[in-house]
Short mmCIF file of all heavy atoms in Angstrom, two decimals:
data_model
loop_
_atom_site.label_atom_id
_atom_site.label_comp_id
_atom_site.label_asym_id
_atom_site.label_seq_id
_atom_site.Cartn_x
_atom_site.Cartn_y
_atom_site.Cartn_z
N LEU A 263 -10.55 -56.90 -83.25
CA LEU A 263 -11.11 -57.64 -84.38
C LEU A 263 -12.58 -57.33 -84.54
O LEU A 263 -13.38 -58.19 -84.84
CB LEU A 263 -10.92 -59.15 -84.17
CG LEU A 263 -9.50 -59.64 -84.29
CD1 LEU A 263 -9.41 -61.10 -83.90
CD2 LEU A 263 -9.00 -59.45 -85.71
N HIS A 264 -12.94 -56.10 -84.29
CA HIS A 264 -14.35 -55.71 -84.38
C HIS A 264 -14.76 -55.58 -85.83
O HIS A 264 -14.10 -54.93 -86.62
CB HIS A 264 -14.60 -54.38 -83.67
CG HIS A 264 -14.19 -54.40 -82.24
ND1 HIS A 264 -14.80 -55.18 -81.29
CD2 HIS A 264 -13.20 -53.74 -81.60
CE1 HIS A 264 -14.22 -55.00 -80.13
NE2 HIS A 264 -13.24 -54.14 -80.29
N ALA A 265 -15.86 -56.22 -86.16
CA ALA A 265 -16.37 -56.13 -87.52
C ALA A 265 -17.42 -55.03 -87.64
O ALA A 265 -17.82 -54.68 -88.74
CB ALA A 265 -16.96 -57.48 -87.94
N THR A 266 -17.87 -54.50 -86.50
CA THR A 266 -18.88 -53.45 -86.52
C THR A 266 -18.21 -52.09 -86.52
O THR A 266 -17.05 -51.95 -86.13
CB THR A 266 -19.80 -53.55 -85.28
OG1 THR A 266 -19.01 -53.41 -84.10
CG2 THR A 266 -20.55 -54.87 -85.27
N ARG A 267 -18.96 -51.07 -86.92
CA ARG A 267 -18.43 -49.71 -86.89
C ARG A 267 -18.45 -49.15 -85.48
O ARG A 267 -17.64 -48.30 -85.13
CB ARG A 267 -19.27 -48.77 -87.77
CG ARG A 267 -19.08 -48.97 -89.23
CD ARG A 267 -19.72 -47.86 -90.02
NE ARG A 267 -21.12 -47.61 -89.67
CZ ARG A 267 -21.89 -46.73 -90.28
NH1 ARG A 267 -21.41 -46.02 -91.27
NH2 ARG A 267 -23.13 -46.56 -89.92
N CYS A 268 -19.40 -49.60 -84.66
CA CYS A 268 -19.56 -49.01 -83.34
C CYS A 268 -18.74 -49.78 -82.29
O CYS A 268 -18.31 -50.90 -82.53
CB CYS A 268 -21.03 -48.96 -82.94
SG CYS A 268 -21.90 -50.52 -83.08
N ASP A 269 -18.55 -49.15 -81.17
CA ASP A 269 -17.81 -49.73 -80.07
C ASP A 269 -18.65 -50.84 -79.44
O ASP A 269 -19.76 -50.60 -78.96
CB ASP A 269 -17.49 -48.64 -79.04
CG ASP A 269 -16.70 -49.15 -77.87
OD1 ASP A 269 -16.32 -50.33 -77.85
OD2 ASP A 269 -16.44 -48.34 -76.95
N ALA A 270 -18.11 -52.06 -79.42
CA ALA A 270 -18.85 -53.20 -78.90
C ALA A 270 -19.16 -53.06 -77.41
O ALA A 270 -20.15 -53.60 -76.93
CB ALA A 270 -18.07 -54.48 -79.15
N ALA A 271 -18.34 -52.32 -76.68
CA ALA A 271 -18.54 -52.18 -75.24
C ALA A 271 -19.57 -51.10 -74.90
O ALA A 271 -19.97 -50.96 -73.75
CB ALA A 271 -17.21 -51.85 -74.58
N SER A 272 -20.00 -50.35 -75.88
CA SER A 272 -20.93 -49.25 -75.65
C SER A 272 -22.35 -49.62 -76.06
O SER A 272 -22.56 -50.43 -76.96
CB SER A 272 -20.47 -48.02 -76.46
OG SER A 272 -21.42 -47.00 -76.38
N ASP A 273 -23.31 -49.01 -75.40
CA ASP A 273 -24.71 -49.20 -75.79
C ASP A 273 -25.10 -48.27 -76.93
O ASP A 273 -26.17 -48.40 -77.50
CB ASP A 273 -25.64 -48.93 -74.59
CG ASP A 273 -25.52 -50.00 -73.53
OD1 ASP A 273 -25.17 -51.14 -73.88
OD2 ASP A 273 -25.79 -49.69 -72.35
N VAL A 274 -24.23 -47.33 -77.26
CA VAL A 274 -24.50 -46.37 -78.32
C VAL A 274 -24.07 -46.96 -79.64
O VAL A 274 -22.97 -47.49 -79.78
CB VAL A 274 -23.74 -45.04 -78.05
CG1 VAL A 274 -23.98 -44.06 -79.18
CG2 VAL A 274 -24.15 -44.47 -76.71
N GLY A 275 -24.95 -46.89 -80.62
CA GLY A 275 -24.66 -47.42 -81.94
C GLY A 275 -23.89 -46.44 -82.80
O GLY A 275 -23.56 -45.33 -82.39
N CYS A 276 -23.67 -46.82 -84.03
CA CYS A 276 -22.85 -46.04 -84.95
C CYS A 276 -23.65 -45.02 -85.76
O CYS A 276 -23.08 -44.21 -86.48
CB CYS A 276 -22.10 -46.97 -85.89
SG CYS A 276 -23.17 -48.03 -86.88
N MET A 277 -24.95 -45.04 -85.66
CA MET A 277 -25.79 -44.12 -86.43
C MET A 277 -25.83 -42.75 -85.74
O MET A 277 -25.55 -42.63 -84.55
CB MET A 277 -27.21 -44.69 -86.58
CG MET A 277 -27.25 -46.08 -87.21
SD MET A 277 -26.60 -46.13 -88.88
CE MET A 277 -27.92 -45.32 -89.74
N ALA A 278 -26.21 -41.73 -86.50
CA ALA A 278 -26.21 -40.35 -86.01
C ALA A 278 -27.03 -40.17 -84.73
O ALA A 278 -26.66 -39.41 -83.84
CB ALA A 278 -26.71 -39.40 -87.09
N GLN A 279 -28.14 -40.88 -84.60
CA GLN A 279 -28.99 -40.77 -83.42
C GLN A 279 -28.58 -41.75 -82.31
O GLN A 279 -29.28 -41.90 -81.33
CB GLN A 279 -30.46 -41.03 -83.81
CG GLN A 279 -31.01 -40.06 -84.83
CD GLN A 279 -31.05 -38.62 -84.29
OE1 GLN A 279 -31.33 -38.40 -83.12
NE2 GLN A 279 -30.73 -37.68 -85.16
N GLY A 280 -27.45 -42.42 -82.49
CA GLY A 280 -26.97 -43.36 -81.48
C GLY A 280 -27.56 -44.74 -81.59
O GLY A 280 -27.34 -45.59 -80.72
N GLU A 281 -28.31 -45.00 -82.66
CA GLU A 281 -28.90 -46.31 -82.86
C GLU A 281 -27.91 -47.24 -83.56
O GLU A 281 -26.96 -46.78 -84.18
CB GLU A 281 -30.17 -46.20 -83.70
CG GLU A 281 -31.28 -45.41 -83.03
CD GLU A 281 -32.48 -45.22 -83.95
OE1 GLU A 281 -32.46 -45.72 -85.09
OE2 GLU A 281 -33.42 -44.56 -83.52
N ARG A 282 -28.17 -48.50 -83.47
CA ARG A 282 -27.35 -49.49 -84.18
C ARG A 282 -27.82 -49.54 -85.64
O ARG A 282 -29.01 -49.41 -85.93
CB ARG A 282 -27.52 -50.87 -83.55
CG ARG A 282 -27.14 -50.89 -82.08
CD ARG A 282 -25.99 -51.83 -81.88
NE ARG A 282 -25.71 -52.00 -80.45
CZ ARG A 282 -24.57 -51.65 -79.90
NH1 ARG A 282 -23.62 -51.11 -80.63
NH2 ARG A 282 -24.36 -51.85 -78.63
N CYS A 283 -26.89 -49.74 -86.56
CA CYS A 283 -27.25 -49.82 -87.97
C CYS A 283 -28.00 -51.12 -88.24
O CYS A 283 -27.99 -52.05 -87.43
CB CYS A 283 -26.00 -49.73 -88.85
SG CYS A 283 -24.84 -51.10 -88.65
N ALA A 284 -28.62 -51.21 -89.39
CA ALA A 284 -29.46 -52.35 -89.75
C ALA A 284 -28.66 -53.65 -89.83
O ALA A 284 -29.21 -54.73 -89.64
CB ALA A 284 -30.16 -52.10 -91.08
N THR A 285 -27.37 -53.56 -90.08
CA THR A 285 -26.55 -54.77 -90.24
C THR A 285 -25.66 -55.04 -89.03
O THR A 285 -24.80 -55.91 -89.07
CB THR A 285 -25.67 -54.65 -91.50
OG1 THR A 285 -24.87 -53.47 -91.39
CG2 THR A 285 -26.52 -54.60 -92.76
N HIS A 286 -25.89 -54.32 -87.93
CA HIS A 286 -25.04 -54.47 -86.75
C HIS A 286 -24.94 -55.93 -86.29
O HIS A 286 -23.86 -56.44 -86.03
CB HIS A 286 -25.56 -53.60 -85.60
CG HIS A 286 -24.81 -53.83 -84.33
ND1 HIS A 286 -23.62 -53.21 -84.07
CD2 HIS A 286 -25.06 -54.65 -83.28
CE1 HIS A 286 -23.16 -53.62 -82.89
NE2 HIS A 286 -24.02 -54.50 -82.39
N HIS A 287 -26.07 -56.60 -86.19
CA HIS A 287 -26.07 -57.97 -85.68
C HIS A 287 -25.33 -58.92 -86.62
O HIS A 287 -24.70 -59.88 -86.17
CB HIS A 287 -27.50 -58.45 -85.41
CG HIS A 287 -28.16 -57.63 -84.35
ND1 HIS A 287 -27.73 -57.63 -83.03
CD2 HIS A 287 -29.19 -56.77 -84.39
CE1 HIS A 287 -28.47 -56.81 -82.32
NE2 HIS A 287 -29.38 -56.27 -83.13
N LEU A 288 -25.38 -58.66 -87.92
CA LEU A 288 -24.63 -59.46 -88.89
C LEU A 288 -23.14 -59.35 -88.60
O LEU A 288 -22.43 -60.35 -88.48
CB LEU A 288 -24.94 -59.00 -90.31
CG LEU A 288 -24.01 -59.56 -91.40
CD1 LEU A 288 -24.26 -61.06 -91.58
CD2 LEU A 288 -24.23 -58.80 -92.70
N TRP A 289 -22.64 -58.10 -88.50
CA TRP A 289 -21.21 -57.89 -88.29
C TRP A 289 -20.76 -58.33 -86.90
O TRP A 289 -19.65 -58.85 -86.73
CB TRP A 289 -20.84 -56.43 -88.55
CG TRP A 289 -21.26 -55.98 -89.92
CD1 TRP A 289 -22.03 -54.91 -90.23
CD2 TRP A 289 -20.97 -56.62 -91.17
NE1 TRP A 289 -22.23 -54.84 -91.58
CE2 TRP A 289 -21.59 -55.88 -92.19
CE3 TRP A 289 -20.25 -57.76 -91.53
CZ2 TRP A 289 -21.51 -56.22 -93.53
CZ3 TRP A 289 -20.18 -58.11 -92.88
CH2 TRP A 289 -20.80 -57.34 -93.85
N ALA A 290 -21.62 -58.19 -85.91
CA ALA A 290 -21.29 -58.67 -84.56
C ALA A 290 -21.16 -60.20 -84.57
O ALA A 290 -20.25 -60.75 -83.94
CB ALA A 290 -22.35 -58.22 -83.57
N ALA A 291 -22.04 -60.88 -85.29
CA ALA A 291 -21.97 -62.34 -85.39
C ALA A 291 -20.69 -62.76 -86.12
O ALA A 291 -20.05 -63.75 -85.74
CB ALA A 291 -23.21 -62.89 -86.10
N LEU A 292 -20.32 -62.02 -87.16
CA LEU A 292 -19.07 -62.32 -87.87
C LEU A 292 -17.88 -62.18 -86.91
O LEU A 292 -16.99 -63.03 -86.89
CB LEU A 292 -18.89 -61.40 -89.07
CG LEU A 292 -17.54 -61.52 -89.80
CD1 LEU A 292 -17.36 -62.93 -90.37
CD2 LEU A 292 -17.44 -60.47 -90.89
N GLY A 293 -17.86 -61.12 -86.14
CA GLY A 293 -16.79 -60.93 -85.15
C GLY A 293 -16.72 -62.07 -84.16
O GLY A 293 -15.64 -62.55 -83.80
N ASP A 294 -17.90 -62.56 -83.73
CA ASP A 294 -17.94 -63.70 -82.81
C ASP A 294 -17.36 -64.96 -83.47
O ASP A 294 -16.64 -65.72 -82.83
CB ASP A 294 -19.37 -63.98 -82.36
CG ASP A 294 -19.93 -62.89 -81.44
OD1 ASP A 294 -19.14 -62.07 -80.92
OD2 ASP A 294 -21.17 -62.86 -81.27
N GLU A 295 -17.68 -65.17 -84.74
CA GLU A 295 -17.15 -66.32 -85.47
C GLU A 295 -15.63 -66.24 -85.58
O GLU A 295 -14.94 -67.25 -85.42
CB GLU A 295 -17.76 -66.42 -86.87
CG GLU A 295 -19.19 -66.91 -86.88
CD GLU A 295 -19.31 -68.38 -86.54
OE1 GLU A 295 -18.45 -69.18 -86.94
OE2 GLU A 295 -20.29 -68.74 -85.86
N ILE A 296 -15.12 -65.05 -85.86
CA ILE A 296 -13.67 -64.88 -85.98
C ILE A 296 -13.00 -65.17 -84.64
O ILE A 296 -12.00 -65.91 -84.58
CB ILE A 296 -13.33 -63.46 -86.47
CG1 ILE A 296 -13.79 -63.28 -87.91
CG2 ILE A 296 -11.83 -63.19 -86.34
CD1 ILE A 296 -13.73 -61.85 -88.41
N GLU A 297 -13.54 -64.62 -83.56
CA GLU A 297 -12.98 -64.87 -82.23
C GLU A 297 -13.02 -66.35 -81.90
O GLU A 297 -12.05 -66.90 -81.38
CB GLU A 297 -13.73 -64.08 -81.17
CG GLU A 297 -13.35 -62.62 -81.13
CD GLU A 297 -14.00 -61.89 -79.97
OE1 GLU A 297 -14.23 -62.53 -78.91
OE2 GLU A 297 -14.29 -60.70 -80.11
N HIS A 298 -14.13 -67.01 -82.18
CA HIS A 298 -14.26 -68.45 -81.92
C HIS A 298 -13.23 -69.24 -82.73
O HIS A 298 -12.56 -70.13 -82.21
CB HIS A 298 -15.68 -68.92 -82.23
CG HIS A 298 -15.87 -70.38 -82.03
ND1 HIS A 298 -15.95 -70.96 -80.79
CD2 HIS A 298 -15.97 -71.39 -82.92
CE1 HIS A 298 -16.09 -72.27 -80.92
NE2 HIS A 298 -16.12 -72.55 -82.21
#
């Protein structure tokens, strides 16, 4: 039920340089709400 593009278990983000996208925290929070 991941709302982010990147793997939640990884420290590597979904961007080309391995960074997290600007909206990562938004989608991660949405995923947390769904799980809750």
